[in-house]
Amino acid sequence: MTTLAIIGGTGLTQLSDLNILSREQLDTPYGSPSAEFVTGELNGSRIIFLARHGNPHTIAPHQINYRANIWGLKQLGVEQIVAVAAVGGITGEMAPAHIAIPDQIIDYSYGRKHTFFEDEAVTHIDFTYPYNQKLRSRLISAASAANIKISPLGTYGCTQGPRLETAAEIRRMERDGCDLVGMTGMPEAALAKELDMAYAAISVVANWAAGKSEGEITMAEIERHLHKGMANTALLLKAFVG
Ligand code: HPA
């Protein structure tokens, strides 16, 4: 049986429906992962859960040890990763509380430790399709089974954070073809691919991106929409593993 991991982001520090079996603190050649790896049963299936920002939520997107997180999951035998992350919505239907299963990435982040291939012969992984297509299809089917309306495609732009973007940065990202903006999708996706793990993302829209709605973006607004989006995400995940 393939081992599945769920990485939870802002708004998903714990999986409330997870029947916890064990917790494991791991060390890796790349340092410490964000939190303990929690093994448990979700809707009868065994999964491993990791809180990307730590538990409690204290690690900023640019300070997450992405390599330690992915390496730790690999060490635990994980072959598939579903990564949940809050995003800002840029285009069309990407309204607050909506869920998308993105199919493409543009990486605007910088200065992050973004590869496992540093000291050896250079390895160029193929990254044409950054997300695993089979895992994406299964997520899309699970959403349909759970009666949750999602966007089955979308380009995710990864910014450095922790600040939100300017309106002009979002206009540029839209011209580039981004539908969603987040801060944690990279290098996570590429690192998983480097270790030959199937990786797909659930993007949960917390707010309209900068300049896409009246006024400024408030944390209160983000939390309110995330609450609803994460409730649907929990249902989607249950249908996915069940
Ligand atoms: N920008 C970047 N990351 C985000 C946003 C945003 O507007 N909302 C939630 N995560």
Side-chain angles (χ1 to χ4, degrees):
M1 216 180 75
T2 48
T3 306
L4 170 75
I6 295 171
I7 302 181
T10 301
L12 197 72
T13 300
Q14 299 172 36
L15 268 182
S16 54
D17 295 324
L18 189 66
N19 174 24
I20 295 172
L21 300 172
S22 65
R23 297 172 184 273
E24 211 162 343
Q25 189 95 50
L26 276 186
D27 207 8
T28 78
Y30 303 96
S32 301
S34 294
E36 290 174 331
F37 295 91
V38 180
T39 299
E41 274 179 4
L42 182 66
N43 207 9
S45 295
R46 235 173 115 95
I47 64 132
I48 294 175
F49 180 80
L50 177 66
R52 184 188 287 113
H53 296 274
N55 184 13
H57 185 303
T58 52
I59 311 170
H62 63 293
Q63 285 170 330
I64 291 166
N65 192 336
Y66 294 97
R67 294 196 301 182
N69 288 351
I70 297 298
W71 189 269
L73 291 173
K74 184 78 181 182
Q75 249 179 294
L76 292 174
V78 168
E79 291 158 65
Q80 299 179 332
I81 299 173
V82 172
V84 180
V87 296
I90 300 178
T91 57
E93 63 190 11
M94 304 300 183
H98 187 64
I99 291 174
I101 310 297
D103 65 318
Q104 278 296 329
I105 297 176
I106 299 178
D107 188 10
Y108 302 88
S109 70
Y110 49 86
R112 301 180 179 189
K113 301 257 187 224
H114 65 285
T115 180
F116 290 113
F117 303 128
E118 275 186 329
D119 303 323
E120 49 197 277
V122 182
T123 305
H124 302 285
I125 54 155
D126 173 84
F127 207 44
T128 310
Y129 304 105
Y131 299 110
N132 180 271
Q133 186 52 40
K134 273 197 198 137
L135 215 45
R136 290 186 63 259
S137 297
R138 280 178 50 207
L139 285 170
I140 292 161
S141 303
S144 168
N147 222 356
I148 299 166
K149 192 176 167 291
I150 57 137
S151 298
L153 294 169
T155 296
Y156 174 105
C158 185
T159 57
Q160 176 70 353
R163 68 166 177 84
L164 297 169
E165 299 69 37
T166 66
E169 285 170 336
I170 293 298
R171 285 199 299 272
R172 180 182 74 154
M173 291 179 77
E174 186 168 11
R175 286 195 300 276
D176 284 353
C178 294
D179 301 294
L180 305 159
V181 55
M183 301 176 189
T184 57
M186 285 293 286
E188 199 174 83
L191 291 168
K193 192 106 200 252
E194 282 190 352
L195 296 189
D196 207 19
M197 298 156 93
Y199 179 99
I202 299 177
S203 298
V204 185
V205 181
N207 54 281
W208 280 115
K212 289 284 164 188
S213 66
E214 295 282 312
E216 297 180 0
I217 300 162
T218 66
M219 285 311 289
E221 171 198 354
I222 288 186
E223 275 162 28
R224 186 160 41 86
H225 293 129
L226 261 190
H227 192 72
K228 185 170 169 214
M230 287 301 169
N232 274 339
T233 300
L235 294 175
L236 168 49
L237 287 171
K238 263 189 172 176
F240 176 77
V241 300

